[in-house]
């Protein structure tokens, strides 16, 4: 569980890292596209500028040549153009052709280049062509300068993106990933601890319940022995006992019966705690009707008025809810016994927060509200045994059932006038 | 080390002769050069020869460069120079004006003490004879130049092609301009010295006529130079091509020079005749 969470955290960070890498690559691609555009533009601009410069040079040279040729000074033209071509390192070839096609100057540098520019200029005098100068320039220097520029630009882009990406990564790590990782770790730790404690709790509860069950269960056999033999003693040896003896025997029987009852309710409490919940729609009104008819069947003499709200339907475990309602109605029936006209009501109310609250109320003996919380603890009773008999486990069982439904249970009362037992579910 | 002392000496000579006046210092020889190139270049190219003469005579030699050709002739004629270098036309003019001059030696170029020139047209043109040049545009070099003007001008005249028979003519300053101008189609024909013609022939020239052979440039001496010194200098010059470093000295003056050879006044008779006839028709 811990390792899985850790892996999940790693995966999250890795996903972020991948996203960042993709973003940085995209940025780089974008920058390089921009670079290429700029480089291409600057390259064509540089070429155009070069062409313009060459044309200007040729035009100036042409002007000089025309001037010299008009004076018949061909030597100057030849010398000038040769010196000119020789002097400009980028001139690979220069040809000057007279109007009649005579090649006056033919300069060839002992050098070649894959990148050249050829420009031609026709020097004219009074609209008559005098000299055509054709020049081939070496653009290697220009190209290599452009190449250097391009490399610098691309290199710079890469460096910028790398620095930017690194900064972004470290910032993200510091501001997002590390806290995230820490949070995940803390969470993991807390969860781990919770799991451990939960398991411990579960184990101790289970142990307790198992102990309780086995004790209750194992007590039954000897109890049955005590009960059986005291019955035999009472029937077969009744005449051989005096009154005191018979009284003792009766007390043994009563004790055994009571103990059996105690074991029953304890087993029920244990059962309620251990049972696996089966959550379904449950009609509480139907269960209540059922329980009441049982109660009346057992004691048909009693005059009790039941008021039941129909169709009280909830989601819960049918069996457990039946146990809870049985206990609540048993109490209401029992503690209203002294009233000539008992009244028992089962109804639903709605809390301020809009929650459904169910209520079993009676007009019986009531109890001192000072101890209202104590009632739900096992073996806690507010009435004497000779007043109202009981084990003190019933409400504890109710509480367990309601808790297992994530609900709440509480009680109110006016001593001598009656009690109200409320519960809500989940 | 061997070259250092003549070099230093030459430098001294140069510095000395650069001073504005050249009043003769006692026992100093003046070597005059006509200004066919810049003074600086001439000083440099003639310094080794000056050194040769100096060594032969035991006297310092100073190089003097005239302002122009006429001043040069005048200085030689008035005996203001001890030794003078000049072209054939200058020599003929010198003798005509100042009488005979003691002659030291003339240049031998590629084994020949004479030179000639060509009257030419474009190889693609229809001009074949001097007569064909009638009515055409003609290019000359310098008006004072032997082979790019005077001699060809005489030849044309002799062939019946006077200036008035030409469509036009111009002086383009130098030989190469003439060759290139004809090649470029600006002129139909022209005249240049032989070497320039041969240099440009392959570019599309055809010779129409060859000039007579003229005697080369020469060295003359001052009429007042003692006979003994004249002989020493003449001997030094004529044997120079056999001397150690002699060829270097000669080539320093002209790359194609192979020797300095004997010269006589009648070597220049044909030129003298040409110039005389030209003068008669007003060409000087
Ligand atoms: N309806 C009621 N009216 C008055 N007191 C009640 C009522 N229900 C329960 N009590 C009080 O709460 C105590 C605990 O109830 P319960 O756990 O059911 O035990 P038991 O009924 O066996 O005594 C009872 O002893 C009684 O004092
Ligand atoms: Mg009870």
């Amino acid at each position: 569980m811990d390792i899985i969470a850790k892996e999940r955290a790693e995966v999250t960070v890795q996903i972020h890292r991948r996203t960042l890498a993709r973003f940085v690559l995209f940025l780089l691609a974008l920058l390089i596209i921009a670079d290429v555009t700029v480089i291409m533009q600057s390259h064509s601009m540089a070429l155009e500028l070069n062409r313009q410069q060459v044309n200007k040079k040729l035009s100036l040279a042409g002007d000089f040549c025309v001037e010299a040729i008009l004076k018949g000074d061909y030597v100057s033209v030849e010398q000038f153009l040769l010196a000119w071509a020789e002097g400009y390192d980028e001139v690979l070839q220069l040809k000057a052709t007279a109007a009649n096609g005579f090649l006056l100057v033919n300069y060839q540098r002992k050098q070649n280049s894959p990148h050249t520019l050829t420009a031609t200029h026709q020097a004219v005098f009074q609209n008559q062509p005098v000299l055509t100068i054709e020049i081939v320039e070496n653009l290697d220097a220009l190209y290599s300068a452009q190449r250097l520029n391009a490399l610098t630009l691309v290199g710079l882009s890469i460096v910028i993106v790398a620095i930017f990406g690194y900064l972004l990564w470290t910032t993200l790590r510091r501001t997002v990933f590390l806290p995230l990782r820490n949070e995940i770790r803390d969470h993991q730790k807390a969860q781990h601890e919770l799991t451990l404690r939960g398991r411990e709790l579960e184990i101790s509860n289970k142990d307790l319940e198992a102990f309780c069950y086995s004790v209750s269960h194992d007590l039954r056999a000897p109890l049955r022995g005590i009960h059986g033999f005291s019955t035999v003693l009472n029937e077969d040896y009744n005449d051989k006992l005096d009154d005191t003896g018979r009284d003792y025997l009766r007390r043994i029987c009563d004790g055994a019966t009571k103990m059996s009852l105690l074991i029953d309710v304890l087993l029920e409490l244990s059962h309620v705690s251990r049972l696996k919940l089966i959550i379904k729609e449950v009609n509480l009104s139907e269960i209540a009707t059922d329980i009441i008819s049982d109660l009346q069947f057992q004691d048909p003499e009693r005059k009790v008025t039941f008021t039941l709200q129909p169709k009280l339907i909830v989601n819960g475990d049918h069996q457990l809810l039946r146990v809870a309602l049985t206990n609540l109605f048993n109490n209401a029936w029992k503690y209203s016994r002294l009233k000539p006209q008992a009244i028992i009501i089962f109804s639903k109310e709605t809390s301020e927060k809009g929650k459904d609250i169910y209520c079993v109320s009676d007009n019986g003996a009531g109890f001192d509200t000072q101890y209202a919380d104590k009632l739900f603890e096992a073996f806690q009773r507010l009435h004497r045994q000779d007043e109202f008999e009981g084990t003190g486990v019933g409400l504890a069982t109710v509480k367990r059932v309601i808790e297992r439904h994530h609900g709440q249970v509480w009680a109110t009362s006016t001593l001598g006038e009656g009690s109200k037992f409320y519960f809500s579910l989940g | 080390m061997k070259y250092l002392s003549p070099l230093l000496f030459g430098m001294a000579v140069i510095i000395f002769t650069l001073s504005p006046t050249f009043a003769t210092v006692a026992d100093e020889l003046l070597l005059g050069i006509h200004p066919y190139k810049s003074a600086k270049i001439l000083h440099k190219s003639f310094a080794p020869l000056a050194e040769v003469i100096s060594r032969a005579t035991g006297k310092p030699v100073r190089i003097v460069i005239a302002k122009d050709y006429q001043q040069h002739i005048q200085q030689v004629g008035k005996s203001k120079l001890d030794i003078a270098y000049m072209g054939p036309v200058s020599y003929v003019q010198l003798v005509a004006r100042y009488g005979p001059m003691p002659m030291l030696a003339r240049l031998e170029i590629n084994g020949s003490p004479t030179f000639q020139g060509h009257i030419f047209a474009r190889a693609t043109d229809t001009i074949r004879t001097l007569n064909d040049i009638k009515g055409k545009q003609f290019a000359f070099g310098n008006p004072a130049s032997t082979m790019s003007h005077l001699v060809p001008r005489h030849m044309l005249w002799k062939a019946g092609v006077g200036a008035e028979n030409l469509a036009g003519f111009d002086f383009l300053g130098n030989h190469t301009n003439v060759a290139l101008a004809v090649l470029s189609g600006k002129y139909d024909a022209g005249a240049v010295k032989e070497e320039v013609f041969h240099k440009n022939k392959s570019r599309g020239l055809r010779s129409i006529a060859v000039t007579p052979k003229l005697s080369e440039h020469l060295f003359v001496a001052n009429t007042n130079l003692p006979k003994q010194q004249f002989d020493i200098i003449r001997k030094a010059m004529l044997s120079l091509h056999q001397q150690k470093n002699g060829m270097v000295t000669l080539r320093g003056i002209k790359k194609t020079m192979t020797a300095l050879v004997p010269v006589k006044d009648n070597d220049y008779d044909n030129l003298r005749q040409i110039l005389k006839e030209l003068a008669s028709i007003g060409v000087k």
Side-chain angles (χ1 to χ4, degrees):
Chain A
M1 167 97 176
D2 188 32
I3 290 162
I4 290 168
K6 203 169 183 175
E7 271 172 4
R8 204 171 297 151
E10 285 303 327
V11 166
T12 312
V13 171
Q14 244 165 40
I15 286 169
H16 278 91
R17 195 181 283 163
R18 232 173 288 148
T19 311
L20 186 78
R22 231 172 283 150
F23 171 69
V24 163
L25 277 179
F26 175 72
L27 197 73
L28 189 66
L30 214 70
L31 266 178
I32 285 176
I33 288 170
D35 287 352
V36 167
T37 316
V38 166
I39 289 160
M40 270 158 60
Q41 221 162 40
S42 87
H43 185 68
S44 59
M45 260 166 69
L47 279 180
E48 180 53 34
L49 205 73
N50 196 273
R51 177 172 285 282
Q52 280 174 12
Q53 277 173 353
V54 169
N55 283 335
K56 205 168 172 181
K57 277 194 280 187
L58 278 183
S59 158
L60 281 171
D63 288 351
F64 169 82
C65 292
V66 167
E67 191 72 27
I69 286 174
L70 288 178
K71 288 180 191 157
D73 194 358
Y74 288 87
V75 172
S76 293
V77 171
E78 197 179 31
Q79 282 174 353
F80 167 74
L81 287 179
L82 283 175
W84 194 71
E86 185 73 45
Y88 281 114
D89 286 342
E90 61 269 25
V91 174
L92 291 176
Q93 207 181 81
L94 188 144
K95 284 180 182 170
T97 314
N100 70 338
F102 168 64
L103 195 58
L104 180 62
V105 177
N106 185 12
Y107 173 82
Q108 300 270 355
R109 197 182 288 274
K110 284 188 191 74
Q111 191 185 332
N112 257 325
S113 168
H115 308 294
T116 57
L117 168 80
T118 304
T120 309
H121 174 74
Q122 194 171 56
V124 296
F125 180 71
Q126 292 176 347
N127 292 329
Q128 290 297 309
V130 176
L131 194 71
T132 305
I133 308 173
E134 189 193 283
I135 191 173
V136 178
E137 276 211 0
N138 184 357
L139 296 183
D140 261 0
L142 188 101
Y143 271 78
S144 62
Q146 288 288 322
R147 240 191 323 267
L148 191 73
N149 276 353
L151 279 177
T152 310
L153 212 60
V154 170
L156 219 67
S157 299
I158 291 171
V159 168
I160 286 170
V161 168
I163 289 172
F164 178 74
Y166 176 75
L167 286 180
L168 200 69
W169 173 244
T170 47
T171 310
L172 268 181
R173 224 172 52 169
R174 213 172 320 123
T175 57
V176 180
F177 296 160
L178 279 187
L180 188 82
R181 217 181 270 187
N182 286 342
E183 208 171 286
I184 288 170
R185 210 187 26 232
D186 290 350
H187 185 74
Q188 279 168 11
K189 219 188 235 167
Q191 209 165 19
H192 182 65
E193 271 167 22
L194 219 73
T195 316
L196 278 181
R197 206 162 298 159
R199 209 175 294 166
E200 270 169 26
L201 227 75
E202 206 177 320
I203 288 164
S204 63
N205 263 345
K206 275 223 169 93
D207 282 351
L208 216 70
E209 277 156 19
F211 172 76
C212 189
Y213 178 81
S214 66
V215 166
S216 312
H217 198 266
D218 292 351
L219 282 175
R220 270 203 166 142
L223 192 62
R224 251 200 308 277
I226 293 169
H227 197 262
F229 284 113
S230 14
T231 310
V232 173
L233 209 61
N234 191 30
E235 285 171 4
D236 295 354
Y237 298 91
N238 203 341
D239 46 341
K240 292 191 179 137
L241 291 171
D242 60 4
D243 283 350
T244 315
R246 275 194 289 273
D247 183 44
Y248 287 162
L249 192 62
R250 191 182 46 78
R251 284 188 192 213
I252 290 171
C253 279
D254 282 357
T257 308
K258 197 173 172 191
M259 198 168 167
S260 173
L261 187 71
L262 250 172
I263 286 170
D264 281 350
V265 295
L266 278 174
L267 276 176
E268 190 176 61
L269 178 62
S270 164
H271 184 66
V272 157
S273 301
R274 287 144 53 100
L275 202 73
K276 201 166 152 47
L277 293 188
I278 300 164
I279 306 292
K280 283 194 294 197
E281 255 189 18
V282 178
N283 192 337
L284 296 181
S285 304
E286 269 179 23
I287 296 174
T289 314
D290 225 31
I291 295 167
I292 287 159
S293 68
D294 272 357
L295 286 170
Q296 277 180 332
F297 179 78
Q298 282 167 27
D299 199 353
E301 305 291 297
R302 283 213 34 203
K303 283 191 179 151
V304 179
T305 313
F306 282 100
T307 309
L308 281 183
Q309 196 172 318
K311 287 180 186 161
L312 296 180
I313 295 169
V314 296
N315 276 318
D317 185 281
H318 188 276
Q319 205 182 333
L320 290 195
L321 287 173
R322 189 185 182 95
V323 171
L325 282 181
T326 308
N327 275 294
L328 288 175
F329 279 107
N330 278 352
N331 282 352
W333 179 272
K334 177 162 70 182
Y335 293 101
S336 61
R337 183 170 63 198
L338 301 177
K339 295 284 172 177
Q341 181 58 60
I343 303 168
I344 295 174
I345 304 167
F346 182 46
S347 62
K348 187 181 94 170
E349 293 172 19
T350 306
S351 79
E352 285 165 17
K353 288 176 190 169
K355 218 167 182 184
D356 289 340
I357 295 166
Y358 303 90
C359 178
V360 179
S361 63
D362 63 71
N363 61 343
F367 57 87
D368 187 347
T369 48
Q370 198 182 332
Y371 308 108
D373 286 341
K374 288 256 171 208
L375 306 185
F376 296 96
E377 288 172 27
F379 308 113
Q380 295 292 334
R381 309 200 64 244
L382 294 182
H383 292 86
R384 290 196 320 275
Q385 201 63 245
D386 56 345
E387 248 182 325
F388 295 101
E389 77 293 337
T391 57
V393 180
L395 284 183
T397 308
V398 171
K399 191 179 182 193
R400 182 64 56 87
V401 170
I402 299 304
E403 273 175 356
R404 291 205 63 189
H405 283 83
H406 307 291
Q408 278 179 315
V409 59
W410 67 98
T412 60
S413 174
T414 311
L415 202 58
E417 285 183 19
S419 323
K420 288 185 173 184
F421 284 82
Y422 298 95
F423 70 88
S424 64
L425 297 172
Chain B
M1 279 310 248
K2 220 184 282 173
Y3 300 98
L4 197 63
S5 67
L7 201 84
L8 282 174
F9 181 78
M11 298 253 281
V13 167
I14 287 164
I15 292 161
F16 203 55
T17 52
L18 275 174
S19 53
T21 58
F22 46 95
T24 319
V25 176
D27 270 359
E28 182 193 48
L29 290 176
L30 293 183
L31 169 58
I33 315 290
H34 69 280
Y36 67 97
K37 279 180 187 168
S38 83
K40 219 172 165 182
I41 294 173
L42 290 176
H43 270 288
K44 207 179 153 196
S45 36
F46 280 88
L49 181 69
E51 156 76 3
V52 168
I53 297 166
S54 175
R55 244 195 244 149
T57 56
K59 287 183 173 187
V61 174
R62 181 146 63 95
I63 294 168
V64 174
I65 293 156
K67 266 208 290 287
D68 55 51
Y69 285 63
Q70 287 312 310
Q71 193 205 34
H72 184 64
I73 292 167
Q74 213 172 56
Q75 280 172 2
V76 183
K78 292 185 175 170
S79 298
K80 289 195 171 148
L81 299 166
D82 296 299
I83 308 156
Y85 175 69
M86 55 176 55
V89 173
S90 291
Y91 172 74
V92 171
Q93 286 176 356
L94 173 75
V95 174
R97 222 181 292 167
Y98 298 98
M101 285 283 157
M103 301 170 88
L104 284 163
R106 60 173 165 172
L107 272 57
E108 184 195 88
I109 306 297
N110 289 326
S112 165
T114 61
F115 68 107
Q116 56 191 152
H118 289 263
I119 293 174
F120 61 88
R122 281 183 299 280
T124 51
D125 208 290
T126 52
I127 297 170
R128 297 287 159 130
T129 64
L130 290 179
N131 199 50
D132 292 339
I133 294 171
K134 274 186 185 162
K136 302 285 183 182
Q137 290 283 352
F138 200 93
F140 292 113
N142 193 303
S145 164
T146 323
M147 287 308 173
S148 69
H149 179 224
L150 297 171
V151 178
R153 183 80 181 267
H154 178 258
M155 284 171 73
L156 284 170
W157 172 67
K158 279 270 181 184
V161 186
E164 67 281 358
N165 302 119
L166 294 170
F169 67 95
D170 280 306
F171 293 102
L172 305 183
N174 63 58
H175 296 257
T176 307
N177 271 348
V178 173
L180 294 176
V182 172
L183 284 166
S184 296
K186 199 176 177 195
Y187 298 91
D188 302 304
V192 294
K193 57 184 173 186
E194 189 155 37
E195 57 185 280
V196 173
F197 175 76
H198 283 303
K199 206 171 149 190
N200 291 289
K201 190 183 176 202
S202 62
R203 296 175 82 177
L205 294 181
R206 177 193 293 140
S207 180
I208 305 300
V210 186
T211 68
K213 289 182 177 172
L214 296 186
S215 186
E216 264 291 354
H217 288 55
L218 72 157
F219 288 92
V220 295
N222 187 337
T223 41
N224 300 329
L225 196 71
K227 169 91 169 97
Q228 187 214 348
Q229 272 197 16
F230 175 85
D231 286 342
I232 291 171
I233 296 168
R234 184 164 183 267
K235 208 183 142 203
M237 283 184 164
L238 295 180
S239 65
L240 193 53
H241 63 284
Q242 294 160 339
Q243 303 296 319
K244 210 166 104 184
N245 294 329
M247 285 313 291
V248 177
T249 305
L250 294 176
R251 284 198 198 109
I253 295 166
K254 195 172 169 82
K255 248 192 280 173
T256 46
M257 204 199 300
T258 45
L260 285 171
V261 293
V263 60
K264 325 183 286 296
D265 182 64
N266 63 16
D267 289 334
Y268 297 90
D269 280 351
N270 60 351
L271 178 61
R272 200 169 277 131
Q273 183 62 28
I274 287 166
L275 292 177
K276 210 168 119 191
E277 286 179 12
L278 279 174
S280 74
I281 58 163
V283 178
K284 281 182 195 165

